[in-house]
Amino acid sequence: MTDQTHRTAKLSVGEKTLDLPMYSGTLGPDVIDIRRLYADGDVFTFDPGYTSTGSCESAITFIDGDKGELLYRGYPIEQLAEKSFFIEVCYLLLYGELPTAAQLEDFENRVTNHTMLHDQMSYFFRGFRRDAHPMAIVCGVVGAMSAFYHDSTDIRDAWQREVASIRLIAKMPTIVAWAYKYSIGQPFVYPKNSLDYASNFLNMCFSVPAAEYTVDPILSRAMDRIFTLHADHEQNASTSTVRLASSSGANPFACIAAGVACLWGPAHGGANQACLEMLREIGTVDRIPEFIARAKDKNDPFKLMGFGHRVYKNFDPRAKVMKQSADEVLGLLGIENNPTLQVAKELEKIALEDEYFIEKKLYPNVDFYSGIILDAIGFPTSMFTPIFALARTVGWITQWKEMISDPQLKIGRPRQLYTGPTARDYVDVEKRG
Ligand code: SDX
C-alpha cells in the first residue's frame, strides 16, 4: 500500500462518527479502507456489481476509463501492440519489467518447452460430443490439468507457482487448438518448437497431416496482436473470479478453469462471438437503424454487442488498435470490402452520433472489431471466446500470483443485505394450508 498519509474519511452511522483511513495509489482514485466498518459501525457497505468497490491492491494493470488509457505495468497498450509481441508482454506482466534479450530468450524457451500436453489428456477431448462448444471443452480440460500436473499445485511453493504459470501459458494454445480440431473432426496437430507462439497456435489450428502448411506472417502478426490486446484488464469479472477462487487456496488450474467459465458469458468474453453474430444478423447497412432502435428500447433485452463498458466511458483503447488492425489485415488479405466490416464501421458511426449512446457513454469495446479479424483469419465464431481465454490466461495467472504471494491473503467472503423471511417454526405437512 502506498502513501499511508493517515488521511481519513468521516462517516456518520447513527450516533457514531467513524474515521475510515484513506489511501492513494500511484494512479487512479483514492480508496477508503472499510475493513473495520462492520466491527466499529455494525453496518455493511452495499455495492452489487462492485461499481464503487476496490477488491485488492494491485501493481499490474491500470485503466483510466475517462482518458481511455490502459497500462500494462505502466506501458501504454498502444505502444505494446505496435512495438512488442505477446511472449514479451507475458514476461512484462508476470515479472513487472521488460526483459533483457537474455531473459526473453530464456522465458520463450521455457514456454516453448511446455507446449505439449500429457498425451493421456487427449482422451478428455474425446469424452465430449463433437458439437460441444469449444469453451465447454477448454473449461473442462483446464480444470483437468490439476489431475495431471500434481507437481505444480502446491500454491505455498514459489517454484511450483512458477511452473504452473509457465505450463498454463504454454499449454493453453494447444488446448484451445485441440478443442477446435475436435469440434471439426480433424486430427490433433502437435506443437512445433520451431514456431513462435502465435504461429504455433495457427499451425495447430489450421494445418492437417495430409498437406504442407505455412503460417501467413500477416495472420500470425494479427493473432499475436490480438493476444496482447486481451492479455490483462485489472479486476474484470473473470479475473475477480480467479482471485476469489484462489483466496480459498484452490490449485491454479482449478482457479483458471473458474476464470474460463466466467469469461464465457455474453456480457464479458462471450461478447466477441455474440458481436460478430449480431453484425451478420444485421447483414446490410440499411438494417442498422432497426437494431439501434432495439438497443434503445427498454422493453427489448437486446443490447449492441461489443458496445459499452463498466470502466471505459470515453473509448476502449483496445478497440481503436483492433479497428486499425482490422483495416490492415483485411486490406493485406484483399478483403477490405468485407460486408461485415462495412456494417461494423457504419454501426459505430451511427451509434456514436446517437443521443442514447452519447448520454450513456457507450462506445465500441475490445470485442467489437476482434471478431472481424478472427473471422478473416479463418476461425468460426465459436472459437472467439476460447481465443480470448487463451490470451487472458497470462493476466489471470499474473493476478493469481500477486494475490497468492500476499502475506495478508484472506479468503474472500462478502456479506449481504438480507430481505428474506425472519425466523419461523417448522409446520408439519398436515397443518399446512
Ligand atoms: C469485456 O470489465 C472488463 O474489463 C471486461 C473486458 C475485459 O477485457 O476483461 O473489457 C471484456 O467484457 C468487454 C465488454 C463486452 N460485453 C459486451 O460488449 C456486451 C454488451 N455490453 C453491455 O452488456 C454492457 O455495456 C457491459 C456489461 C459491458 C457493461 O455493463 P455495466 O457497466 O453494468 O453498465 P450497465 O449495464 O449498467 O449499462 C448502463 C446503461 C444501461 O441503461 P440504463 O439502465 O441506465 O437505462 O447503458 C445501457 C444499459 O441498458 N447499455 C446498453 C449497452 N450497454 C449498456 N444499451 C445498449 N447496448 C449496449 N451494449
Side-chain angles (χ1 to χ4, degrees), residues 233 267-268 298 304 306-307 309-310 318 356 360 365 392:
H233 214 237
H268 191 13
K298 276 276 161 249
L304 276 188
F307 259 78
H309 200 277
R310 171 64 57 79
R318 301 168 299 174
Y356 174 90
K360 293 186 186 296
N365 57 48
R392 184 54 56 88

Side-chain angles (χ1 to χ4, degrees), residues 388-402:
F388 193 153
L390 187 171
R392 184 54 56 88
T393 294
V394 63
W396 288 331
I397 276 292
T398 302
Q399 302 269 350
W400 167 77
K401 284 181 76 176
E402 180 178 72

Side-chain angles (χ1 to χ4, degrees), residues 63 230 232-238 263 266-269 271 295-296 298 302-313 316 318 356-357 360 362 365-367 388 392:
I63 301 172
H230 287 82
D232 193 45
H233 214 237
E234 65 149 78
Q235 307 311 318
N236 59 84
S238 53
L263 187 76
H268 191 13
K296 293 158 65 173
K298 276 276 161 249
F302 173 79
K303 286 192 171 15
L304 276 188
M305 301 317 281
F307 259 78
H309 200 277
R310 171 64 57 79
V311 178
Y312 292 121
K313 298 307 175 189
D316 182 336
R318 301 168 299 174
Y356 174 90
F357 294 89
K360 293 186 186 296
L362 303 173
N365 57 48
V366 68
D367 295 309
F388 193 153
R392 184 54 56 88

